Amino acid sequence: MNENSGARRPFVVLGVSGGIAAYKACELLRLFTESGHDVRVVPTRQALRFVGEPTWAALSGNPVSTEVWDDAHEVPHVRVGRDADLVVVAPATADVLARAAHGIADDLLTNTLLTARCPVVFAPAMHTEMWEHPATRANVATLRERGALVLDPAVGRLTGADTGRGRLPEPEEIFQICRGVLSGRPRDLAGRHVVVSAGGTREAIDPVRFIGNRSSGLQGLALARTALVRGAGVTLVAANVTLPAPAGAEVIAVESAREMREAVLSACRDADAVVMAAAVADFRPAEYHDNKIKKTSAEPDPIRLVENPDILAELGRRRASSGEGPAVIVGFAAETDDVLANGHAKLKRKGCDLLVVNQVGAGLAFGTPDNAAVVLSADGDAVDVPRGPKEDLAHRVWDLVAARLP
């Protein structure tokens, strides 16, 4: 998709610091340039030990500098940051985070960060111990307090044989976050913690079979991603979602409705808002078979079902009885018929503040990139959201949530 709607292309500064993940920034650069952005790569001296200057220049179509003395007559240490629409540093090492937090300006990248008056995104990548060190945590907190969007690194394989938190998020996810930031959405969720559920639960029958649904998790991922863009800390409870998680979200993987209940209730203890976008199974088999059920006759034994916990209703009841839990509770209602009538009944029954009601089936909602919905509120309002990208619906939900937060 070309972002260029006028004569001037959005100007993005891509800072690259000296970590092994620097090679992944080449893919991020390609995503920016192919979508119509004008990109200036500003690597650190250490970054050039991983990916050379000719590579950055060829992929961006722009000159590459590391020092404030390069092309001094153009005063690049002021001009580059001042002219940028977005500065994104990927990977951002512990060293660059520290220098940025303390205002040290000893190369072109750190000078650019000091002169930038546009949104700044850091995508950290480092070893787990470095990310968890109190000095790094303090530097990250400082940058976030100043308005920068510092993503949490992903969990996965690190340099060598180690695995843990510290991996650079996938370039596609960093790009999607940056696109959202460039859209100019408000940072009205800064300092808030939100919980989002996504995907579809599975209820095991035996080691092979389960009862499930068609939810892909796309709408929940869109909600998580847009909340990050708006400044929130995001916990994503993902049920059987195979798509990459949004860069910066804390992800809790679950399978069944009971696992989701435990994860959601735990995450909601300090949450400001929760959005239950996951398709949670209403029922589960009463009996789990340790071995695969064999076909022994033309008419198999019936599978008796029992009711699963109603997570959304439980959140509402807990808040009503004790005042505990999120200030804003949002549910989703996937309906095939009598959509609004069923939605109003569910809103009253669940005790949530907002209910996103959408029609599903026949190529609608599940697994598609777009969605349409009516958002019902406990105070009687109804907001119609026309069909469009799932990110649009997600932003409309957060608009309504932000307006209700204390």
Side-chain angles (χ1 to χ4, degrees), residues 59-221:
L59 291 176
S60 68
N62 282 320
V64 175
S65 302
T66 62
E67 307 295 341
V68 297
W69 307 106
D70 297 338
D71 301 316
H73 64 288
E74 296 182 354
V75 199
H77 69 288
V78 174
R79 182 179 60 82
V80 174
R82 185 182 59 195
D83 293 348
D85 297 300
L86 173 72
V87 177
V88 52
V89 183
T93 60
D95 174 66
V96 163
L97 292 173
R99 287 191 286 148
H102 291 278
I104 297 172
D106 57 358
D107 60 10
L108 185 56
L109 176 56
T110 48
N111 273 270
T112 297
L113 290 169
L114 279 181
T115 57
R117 294 299 178 265
C118 60
V120 177
V121 177
F122 293 93
M126 63 196 73
H127 206 273
T128 304
E129 284 79 3
M130 299 175 73
W131 173 252
E132 294 176 347
H133 194 282
T136 304
R137 305 307 295 162
N139 292 331
V140 168
T142 297
L143 291 169
R144 285 173 173 167
E145 287 170 4
R146 293 175 184 163
L149 177 54
V150 185
L151 305 176
D152 282 352
V155 175
R157 181 72 177 269
L158 306 175
T159 306
D162 290 345
T163 298
R165 185 170 296 280
R167 183 181 176 90
L168 184 73
E170 291 302 315
E172 172 67 30
E173 284 302 318
I174 300 174
F175 173 68
Q176 293 298 338
I177 293 290
C178 290
R179 281 187 61 191
V181 171
L182 279 166
S183 71
R185 296 286 182 174
R187 299 268 293 168
D188 51 2
L189 297 178
R192 304 288 192 174
H193 173 214
V194 302
V195 177
V196 177
S197 71
T201 60
R202 295 176 179 177
E203 308 301 325
I205 300 171
D206 62 22
V208 177
R209 305 175 181 90
F210 60 85
I211 298 172
N213 58 66
R214 297 182 185 275
S215 178
S216 64
L218 282 170
Q219 185 64 71
L221 295 181

Side-chain angles (χ1 to χ4, degrees), residues 320-363:
S321 63
S322 65
E324 296 179 355
V328 182
I329 300 174
V330 184
F332 267 67
E335 302 289 345
T336 58
D337 59 329
D338 296 330
V339 175
L340 286 181
N342 289 333
H344 281 290
K346 185 172 184 178
L347 175 65
K348 184 177 180 179
R349 190 170 66 250
K350 300 293 186 177
C352 51
D353 302 289
L354 299 167
L355 188 72
V356 183
V357 186
N358 60 332
Q359 188 169 7
V360 299

Side-chain angles (χ1 to χ4, degrees), residues 15-38:
V16 184
S17 56
I20 187 63
Y23 77 94
K24 292 185 177 180
C26 295
E27 174 65 12
L28 180 59
L29 173 56
R30 184 189 67 80
L31 291 167
F32 274 119
T33 56
E34 290 187 356
S35 58
H37 298 80
D38 181 18

Side-chain angles (χ1 to χ4, degrees), residues 232-314:
V234 177
T235 300
L236 176 66
V237 182
N240 308 296
V241 176
T242 59
L243 301 167
E250 177 190 2
V251 182
I252 303 173
V254 299
E255 181 170 348
S256 68
R258 286 178 290 179
E259 289 176 358
M260 175 163 284
R261 175 187 175 274
E262 292 181 11
V264 167
L265 293 181
S266 176
C268 281
R269 287 172 185 157
D270 64 348
D272 297 287
V274 58
V275 180
M276 291 294 297
V280 183
D282 294 321
F283 301 96
R284 68 180 185 274
E287 179 185 4
Y288 173 76
H289 295 263
D290 292 327
N291 298 310
K292 179 183 174 182
I293 301 172
K294 299 295 185 181
K295 181 179 178 180
T296 57
S297 68
E299 294 186 12
D301 293 335
I303 298 175
R304 188 171 67 88
L305 301 178
V306 295
E307 191 172 2
N308 266 327
D310 190 328
I311 306 169
L312 183 60
E314 184 173 354

